[in-house]
Amino acid sequence: MGGRDTGAVAIDPSPQVAARGPWFRRALGGAAVPLLAAAGLAAFWLFPNDLGLMTRIAATALYVLSLDLVLGFGGIATLGQAAMFGAGAYAAGIAAVHLVSDPLVLLAVGGLAGGLVALVTGALILHARGLTLLMLTIAVVQIVQEVVNKARDLTGGSDGLSGIEPSPLFGLFRFDMFGRTSYLFALAVLLVGFLVARRIVRSPFGLACRGVKEDPLRVAALGGSPRRYLVTLYAIAGVFAGVAGALTAVTSGIVGLDSVSFSWSAEALVMLVLGGAGRLVGAIIGTVAFMTIHHVMAAIDPFHWMLFIGLFLMGTVLFLPGGIASLADRLIKGNRA
Amino acid sequence: METLFGIVVDGVAYGMILFIISVGLSVTLGLMRVVNLAHGAFAMVAGYVASYAAQGLGLPYAVGLVAAILFTVLATLPLEKLLYRRIYGSANELAQVLLTIGLTFVIVAGINYLFGPTLKRIPLPDALLGTVAIGPKSIPVHRAFVIALGAATVLGLWWLLERTDFGIKLRAAVDDPNMAAALGIRTERLYTATFALGTGLAALGGVLGAELLPLEPYYAIRYIVLFLAVVAVGGAGNILGSAAAALALGIVDTAGKYLIPSFGEFFFYAALILILFRWPHGFFQGRAA
């Protein structure tokens, strides 16, 4: 996906359209998936030499989407989302090496692993709030990493896990060396994931989760169980993160220890906030923007890249709290005033 | 026995460093409710200044130490005015986490630009190099020095907070900022002073701990989790809690590395989860936050 293409989804400064704000936004919401698909396909034709990077972006976008479910819709500030991503990646990788090779089955294995890890750890840690919760999520991801590192026979330890060779998709499409199948597969999985996520956040359950985010006491007073909602949401998001991990493993053929690290969690958070938490399209915009900038800047010097992203992050928090995706709202509001 | 002695000495020295650095974070978190992830970066900056003063300018260790603390405090005060004041006490922890992560990235990049990515040392003066005998055992002077300074910091902070006017106002503001302001305490000024105190302690710890937490640009990111762990276990704003938590975590971590090195930090984080699961507001129940 090209950054510019998806950026256009949220930014339309035309005052004529803006005057019909809510209708316009609803139409835009409905068009989000076709626009994403079109942008993804356009990128496929425009940048045939960057398919590897674009595949990684698509899989990462699904991972950031899972964080958006947890954070943007449940209000759970976490620095441990990589625990689920890594669990999915390693589960799929190990299954691919020893058991099955069908890519769709591998995704299911990854999603199951991510969901299980999220369910178990979520039930354990989600009674805490604030800094304590943040520390607990960090502790979980560090422990998962130590376990992966220790189970060297299965995971390859710090050498990483390689030799993941999925069979052709539906028995028809081979994963070719140019990464064409990989990219289209990743894009399709991302779009399906986006649709499912949207279905979830618009369901009564999704609304209840938002209620918990806004005012857990009131939800409890109305007879709901805030913690049960949050644990369920955390587990569902874990499935998404696990599928994203499995997708990365299937399309890249290798899983490393960094896929289950504190910094990979932090990067997801940065991507989400750049794009705009609390709206699904924000996760995708943020991922595309971040990964593209990272790719360009890191090629020059990793420290320049940190300076740039650091300033960008501070600027976003101070001047654009809703992230890139909120630009459209701002423009609409600005035009009305 | 030998091992046990080593674990205690190294663990306590390590814990003291963790305490000196973390207690500033704990007080600012308790008072201003800012999750300041850049705290480790401040400690790192001080370490680099001290290293430059000693190696680049050839100044004595003590002068470098004082210069590093002064420089770090003076350099971060404008940040307090420009950045932190906007996020004090905000209900939005996420914004705080992100703003301070951003600041950390900028500092990491700046340090690398100025000093390069290699490991930097702060050469110890001869007085701190030998060993000192305690009964039948002998321990490195530097470890003893760190432990002594850590103990002095605990006492000094205790005196400052429990026995001085500043301490009384600070405790009042931690407990109830609005009431404190209504009673005529200049909370803004108090915040600035506390921020400076916290940064100064981070700087002290950064310089003293350079032997145990080696100075390199990723220092700021690598160790902040440790400092946060101390605050979470100790309870935000609780000085003695921070000291106990830092010592306990320091000893657990050191013991793990001595006895079962192949498990890395597994036991450290397992202990963290167990403690926070049972006592979500910290083992020693923070005053606020």
Side-chain angles (χ1 to χ4, degrees):
Chain A
M1 260 169 289
R4 219 174 299 143
D5 294 324
T6 32
V9 173
I11 303 166
D12 191 333
S14 149
Q16 196 192 354
V17 182
R20 285 175 276 156
W23 171 86
F24 167 69
R25 273 199 60 189
R26 230 178 308 137
L28 198 62
V33 171
L35 278 175
L36 281 175
L41 288 175
F44 179 70
W45 298 115
L46 286 174
F47 310 106
N49 297 323
D50 293 321
L51 289 178
L53 172 68
M54 281 158 30
T55 307
R56 229 170 43 242
I57 291 180
T60 306
L62 189 62
Y63 164 53
V64 178
L65 197 66
S66 81
L67 182 63
D68 199 7
L69 285 176
V70 170
L71 178 74
F73 295 91
I76 307 168
T78 165
L79 280 169
Q81 199 65 9
M84 277 66 83
F85 178 91
Y90 272 104
I94 293 166
V97 172
H98 297 288
L99 296 170
V100 290
S101 61
D102 183 79
L104 290 175
V105 174
L106 291 177
L107 290 196
V109 169
L112 197 65
L116 272 180
V117 169
L119 190 63
V120 172
T121 61
L124 196 65
I125 67 177
L126 279 176
H127 65 293
R129 304 295 287 166
L131 174 71
T132 307
L133 179 57
L134 216 53
M135 284 314 303
L136 285 169
T137 58
I138 295 174
V140 166
V141 78
Q142 300 279 15
I143 285 190
V144 174
Q145 189 179 34
E146 287 297 343
V147 169
V148 168
N149 193 12
K150 200 79 190 84
R152 175 168 287 280
D153 295 339
L154 272 179
T155 62
S158 52
D159 297 334
L161 178 68
S162 57
I164 303 164
E165 283 160 9
S167 57
L169 189 59
F170 306 124
L172 290 175
F173 307 102
R174 296 175 53 81
F175 284 89
D176 56 303
M177 60 179 291
F178 304 106
R180 282 190 289 246
T181 311
S182 289
Y183 175 65
L184 293 175
F185 179 48
L187 182 66
V189 174
L190 172 63
L191 289 174
V192 171
F194 186 87
L195 281 171
V196 175
R198 194 168 66 182
R199 189 76 201 82
I200 291 170
V201 300
R202 287 181 182 174
S203 69
F205 168 74
L207 285 175
C209 288
R210 274 196 225 200
V212 174
K213 181 190 173 192
E214 301 297 333
D215 192 345
L217 269 183
R218 182 175 287 188
V219 172
L222 288 172
S225 163
R227 184 156 164 233
R228 191 180 301 162
Y229 283 127
L230 290 184
V231 173
T232 312
L233 182 69
Y234 197 69
I236 292 173
V239 174
F240 277 78
V243 171
L247 185 60
T248 308
V250 165
T251 53
S252 68
I254 151 165
V255 185
L257 264 187
D258 55 337
S259 69
V260 47
S261 66
F262 166 62
S263 60
W264 184 227
S265 305
E267 274 182 46
L269 194 61
V270 171
M271 290 185 229
L272 178 59
V273 169
L274 282 186
R279 42 175 78 206
L280 296 173
V281 87
I284 294 175
I285 295 175
T287 311
V288 173
F290 180 97
M291 302 269 294
T292 310
I293 301 170
H294 188 178
H295 182 71
V296 174
M297 300 289 291
I300 307 170
D301 174 352
F303 288 99
H304 281 133
W305 138 254
M306 290 190 85
L307 175 72
F308 188 80
I309 206 73
L311 289 175
F312 212 61
L313 202 50
M314 289 162 71
T316 309
V317 173
L318 292 178
F319 305 115
L320 193 63
I324 300 173
S326 74
L327 272 176
D329 295 352
R330 296 209 154 197
L331 290 166
I332 291 169
K333 263 190 211 145
N335 279 322
R336 275 189 178 166
Chain B
M1 195 59 209
E2 230 12 84
T3 324
L4 187 69
F5 187 71
I7 289 175
V8 170
V9 170
D10 285 350
V12 171
Y14 185 50
M16 283 300 183
I17 294 294
L18 286 183
F19 166 72
I20 294 174
I21 298 181
S22 310
V23 72
L25 185 61
S26 178
V27 172
T28 42
L29 187 70
L31 177 60
M32 305 162 189
R33 311 222 167 80
V34 177
V35 182
N36 180 14
L37 296 192
H39 196 76
F42 297 163
M44 175 179 80
V45 167
Y48 271 90
V49 172
S51 164
Y52 178 72
Q55 293 197 308
L57 304 175
L59 295 172
Y61 186 80
V63 178
L65 176 64
V66 173
I69 295 174
L70 284 180
F71 176 88
T72 312
V73 170
L74 290 179
T76 48
L77 276 184
L79 292 178
E80 194 262 348
K81 285 248 183 309
L82 289 172
L83 295 178
Y84 285 88
R85 195 147 284 187
R86 294 164 186 261
I87 53 169
Y88 280 164
S90 122
N92 189 352
E93 283 141 12
L94 192 63
Q96 301 176 346
V97 166
L98 290 159
L99 187 78
T100 51
I101 284 186
L103 182 60
T104 307
F105 280 9
V106 171
I107 294 176
V108 167
I111 286 286
N112 177 69
Y113 176 74
L114 290 173
F115 297 99
T118 52
L119 216 67
K120 287 279 178 291
R121 294 195 59 251
I122 305 175
L124 294 172
D126 293 340
L128 290 182
L129 278 178
T131 57
V132 56
I134 295 183
K137 308 276 184 192
S138 62
I139 64 174
V141 179
H142 178 253
R143 295 276 194 282
F145 176 66
V146 164
I147 293 172
L149 265 187
T153 309
V154 176
L155 286 178
L157 273 177
W158 176 81
W159 177 79
L160 183 71
L161 293 182
E162 300 292 329
R163 291 281 180 271
T164 64
D165 202 37
F166 171 76
I168 292 168
K169 287 177 178 169
L170 181 62
R171 278 183 290 141
V174 169
D175 283 338
D176 190 341
N178 293 330
M179 182 54 85
L183 290 173
I185 294 175
R186 311 261 312 252
T187 46
E188 293 250 311
R189 223 189 259 176
L190 197 65
Y191 284 2
T192 310
T194 311
F195 187 85
L197 177 68
T199 314
L201 284 167
L204 177 67
V207 178
L208 287 181
E211 302 280 308
L212 295 158
L213 309 174
L215 289 170
E216 36 100 23
Y218 285 112
Y219 177 111
I221 299 165
R222 189 158 294 163
Y223 300 116
I224 189 65
V225 174
L226 283 179
F227 308 146
L228 283 174
V230 171
V231 176
V233 171
N238 187 334
I239 309 280
L240 291 177
S242 290
L247 287 177
L249 290 177
I251 291 175
V252 166
D253 199 40
T254 311
K257 280 178 184 147
Y258 264 81
L259 301 174
I260 15 184
S262 61
F263 271 89
E265 288 165 340
F266 181 85
F267 289 101
F268 179 85
Y269 289 106
L272 191 61
I273 288 190
L274 287 179
I275 292 174
L276 291 182
F277 181 67
R278 177 65 185 78
W279 294 278
H281 298 289
F283 198 66
F284 301 93
Q285 191 71 249
R287 280 178 198 273

